[in-house]
Each structure stands twice: as C-alpha cells, then as structure tokens.
Amino acid sequence: MSPNDLYSLKMMKQEFNQPKLFELLAEETFYNIEKNNIKIKKNSIIELCQDNIEYVYYICDGIASISIADEVFEFKGPYEFIGLSDSAIDTSYEDFQVKTITEMTVWRFTKSEVIAKIMSTQEGYLYHYMSMLDQYSLFTKKLMTMKKTHKERVFIALQELAKKFGTPYNNAVKIPSVFTRNIIAEYVGIGLSKLSDSLLKLQAESLITVTSKREIMLEIESIM
C-alpha cells in the first residue's frame, strides 16, 4: 500500500467513523428512522434479533463482550455499534452472543431502517464499507495472535484493553477491574492457571504491574 493509499484510508476513517454514522442515523430532517434509548443491566444478553426483527445498537455508555461459539472475540464500548457488521460475519445468531459486562445505555435501531438510510445517502456505502473493513481487520489480527505464545497473547490482550478502555494512572494505564481474570482468560482463550503464569512472567519482565488490589497496569509507552 502506497503512502497516498495509507493517507486516504486514514482520512476515510476520520470522516466515516462510527460516531459520525450515529449522527447520520439520529438526525431527523432527512429520512427519519425510529430509535429507542434504553438501559440494560449488567450480565444481560443483548438480543440482536427478536420476533424476526434485527436490531442495531449504538453504545452511549458501558461495555459488552462479543462471543462466537462461547469464545469471547472482542469487547464493544462507548461510541461503537453492535449488530451492524459484526453479526454479519457469523452465519448463525445462535453462535453469536452479546453480553453486557457493565450496565449499559444504548440507542436501538431497526437494522433494515439503518441499512436503508445509509444506502440512501451518496456516501452511505463508505460508512458500511469502513465498518466491514474494521471487522475484517479485527478477525485477521485475532487469527495472527493465536499463533503466538500464551505470554505474548496475554500481553497483546492487555495492551488492547488498556488502549481502548484503560484509565491514566501516573505514568501508566490501569485496566478497569470489570475485566476480571475469568474474562481476560476467556478473551485470550486460555485457562486461569496459564493466565496467572503469563501475568507473573510479564510482571517479572516489568511489562506490567499488578497491584495489591490485583489491578493490572501497563506503562503508557507500551500501548502507544
């Protein structure tokens, strides 16, 4: 890929990102579509299809895990959509599950109306294309990560969580406590004992810090 292509892709991501797509869907002067603001309790299953109607959710606050065949594949947080492109990659809703790991506030749209409004705009296909491209990149990265050692996979997962959900703490970034050892182990695809061994090795190499409260922190430089 040439520098010009990389620049164009970067510009497209800035212009056709998920928050801007939400703005397009939420505005009411053109092709107004129904939307509902709802709160969802922690540890709830978010149904993407109810009574043969498919839904798309936009997260205002909170975090959900995305599982395929009982394996945690990714986490979605504020300013991201659920059900727009991610569910399309999996062919069965029975194998695709969205579960809240915190309380969530979301906007819910009917998927058919979302697609209709997107495609009624001149630039609409670009929103959908960028969404699919992000999902494809995520799958590719996940497959490549599976070839690495347990310790490497754990560190990559911690970097991802710190970068996306972490909070600054002195010269480090703290991973929210909602990401328990069980959740991290499921995300990496290893058992709790292997996770503990990997965390000990990473701490011995000063790649992470584990506090007395079992909080995990990474140096800011390691997630840039």
Side-chain angles (χ1 to χ4, degrees):
M1 183 176 288
S2 70
N4 286 337
D5 290 335
L6 288 172
Y7 177 76
S8 298
L9 183 59
K10 182 179 180 180
M11 291 299 295
M12 285 177 62
K13 287 184 176 181
Q14 291 177 351
E15 292 299 319
F16 300 98
N17 55 41
Q18 295 189 57
K20 289 191 176 181
L21 175 56
F22 172 71
E23 290 178 9
L24 171 67
L25 298 177
E27 67 87 26
E28 300 177 354
T29 58
F30 155 72
Y31 203 125
N32 185 27
I33 62 176
E34 183 179 354
K35 60 184 183 296
N36 296 291
N37 189 238
I38 57 179
K39 290 186 180 293
I40 306 174
K41 294 180 179 180
K42 181 180 178 180
N43 294 325
S44 299
I45 302 300
I46 298 180
E47 300 291 345
L48 297 182
C49 185
Q50 301 176 40
D51 299 324
N52 294 320
I53 299 175
E54 295 182 59
Y55 292 104
V56 171
Y57 298 84
Y58 182 75
I59 303 172
C60 300
D61 186 56
I63 303 171
S65 65
I66 311 295
S67 299
I68 298 177
D70 296 326
E71 293 186 10
V72 177
F73 183 76
E74 66 169 317
F75 299 98
K76 296 282 191 178
Y79 317 118
E80 291 187 286
F81 281 96
I82 298 173
L84 181 60
S85 60
D86 39 20
S87 60
I89 295 176
D90 183 56
T91 57
S92 171
Y93 277 110
E94 294 179 358
D95 292 332
F96 187 93
Q97 186 180 84
V98 182
K99 183 178 181 180
T100 62
I101 62 174
T102 68
E103 183 179 278
M104 295 186 70
T105 303
V106 301
W107 284 100
R108 188 180 74 176
F109 300 87
T110 300
K111 187 171 184 177
S112 59
E113 293 184 354
V114 168
I115 298 300
K117 184 162 186 176
I118 290 175
M119 294 308 170
S120 68
T121 64
Q122 186 174 8
E123 70 279 6
Y125 77 96
L126 288 173
Y127 283 112
H128 197 256
Y129 170 75
M130 294 306 298
S131 181
M132 292 296 292
L133 185 62
D134 287 344
Q135 203 64 40
Y136 176 78
S137 298
L138 182 65
F139 268 77
T140 302
K141 185 176 181 180
K142 189 75 172 181
L143 288 173
M144 295 298 293
T145 302
M146 296 304 292
K147 299 179 181 180
K148 298 183 179 293
T149 66
H150 290 154
K151 184 188 75 172
E152 290 172 329
R153 285 160 58 187
V154 170
F155 189 51
I156 290 171
L158 295 178
Q159 288 175 306
E160 292 173 351
L161 295 177
K163 187 173 184 178
K164 189 171 183 177
F165 302 106
T167 54
Y169 186 85
N170 294 331
N171 293 320
V173 176
K174 181 168 61 177
I175 294 176
S177 58
V178 68
F179 292 103
T180 64
R181 297 294 193 273
N182 282 331
I183 289 176
I184 294 173
E186 289 178 9
Y187 181 45
V188 178
I190 60 176
L192 283 173
S193 61
K194 288 185 173 61
L195 174 64
S196 296
D197 290 342
S198 298
L199 291 176
L200 287 173
K201 291 176 182 177
L202 291 170
Q203 191 170 17
E205 295 176 20
S206 299
L207 293 173
I208 67 170
T209 300
V210 180
T211 70
S212 58
K213 296 180 180 180
R214 290 169 60 86
E215 297 171 319
I216 301 173
M217 295 191 292
L218 284 75
E219 294 296 320
I220 292 177
E221 293 77 8
S222 69
I223 62 173
M224 299 301 289

